[in-house]
Amino acid sequence: MTSSKSTFFKYPPLNRARSEIRLVCLKLSLNKSTPLLCELRHVSLDESSSYEALSYTWGAKAQTHLITLNGSNFPVTVNLYLALWTLRQEHNDYFIWIDAICVNKNDMEERSHEVLRMLQIIDRH
């Protein structure tokens, strides 16, 4: 008997001394039918980084789709999945800060800290 075991994403901690945030790197795809592949990158707000920002509701997730984030399954709402599908580019990776992905909602200390920095994160893009 074989077992299909899913690997779900685990957040690496942010380095507050470096004023780090996480950015989603939405990997390019020449074929729109390929699955959404993303990587989470740590960058310092003190350094120059080019990214867009998107704020999404964290609420109930009645329907979700899985994306691949750092090689692991990561559930996102249908609306966010469609937004990522639309934003994916053919020739370049796309860097975007999305609170629903970039903030570890299960870590209350990180969540509180990142919510306080949200305006700074969004204004920096």
Side-chain angles (χ1 to χ4, degrees):
M1 177 181 226
T2 60
S3 74
S4 65
K5 190 176 179 183
S6 294
T7 305
F8 281 90
F9 183 77
K10 292 184 180 165
Y11 284 93
L14 293 170
N15 183 338
R16 287 194 187 168
R18 288 193 64 235
S19 194
E20 281 186 345
I21 62 170
R22 297 182 187 97
L23 293 181
V24 173
C25 174
L26 179 57
K27 303 305 284 180
L28 66 88
S29 177
L30 296 174
N31 183 347
K32 280 289 191 183
S33 66
T34 58
L36 292 172
L37 300 176
C38 300
E39 294 175 0
L40 210 52
R41 308 264 177 95
H42 286 209
V43 299
S44 172
L45 276 178
D46 298 331
E47 298 169 5
S48 176
S49 297
S50 178
Y51 65 92
E52 298 298 322
L54 182 63
S55 184
Y56 253 81
T57 0
W58 292 352
K61 297 176 181 167
Q63 290 186 319
T64 61
H65 283 288
L66 292 177
I67 62 170
T68 301
L69 185 63
N70 290 11
S72 299
N73 293 325
F74 190 91
V76 296
T77 62
V78 173
N79 286 344
L80 180 50
Y81 182 84
L82 294 173
L84 290 170
W85 196 269
T86 302
L87 292 169
R88 180 168 58 176
Q89 299 178 4
E90 291 182 357
H91 302 291
N92 297 300
D93 292 343
Y94 187 76
F95 290 88
I96 185 168
W97 180 86
I98 306 168
D99 56 354
I101 297 176
C102 296
V103 177
N104 182 354
K105 298 173 293 302
N106 297 320
D107 180 335
M108 293 309 287
E109 184 179 339
E110 176 182 313
R111 183 176 173 173
S112 297
H113 185 259
E114 293 305 287
V115 165
L116 291 173
R117 296 189 328 153
M118 233 178 212
L119 188 57
Q120 180 187 9
I121 292 167
I122 291 171
D123 281 349
R124 277 279 306 203
H125 85 276

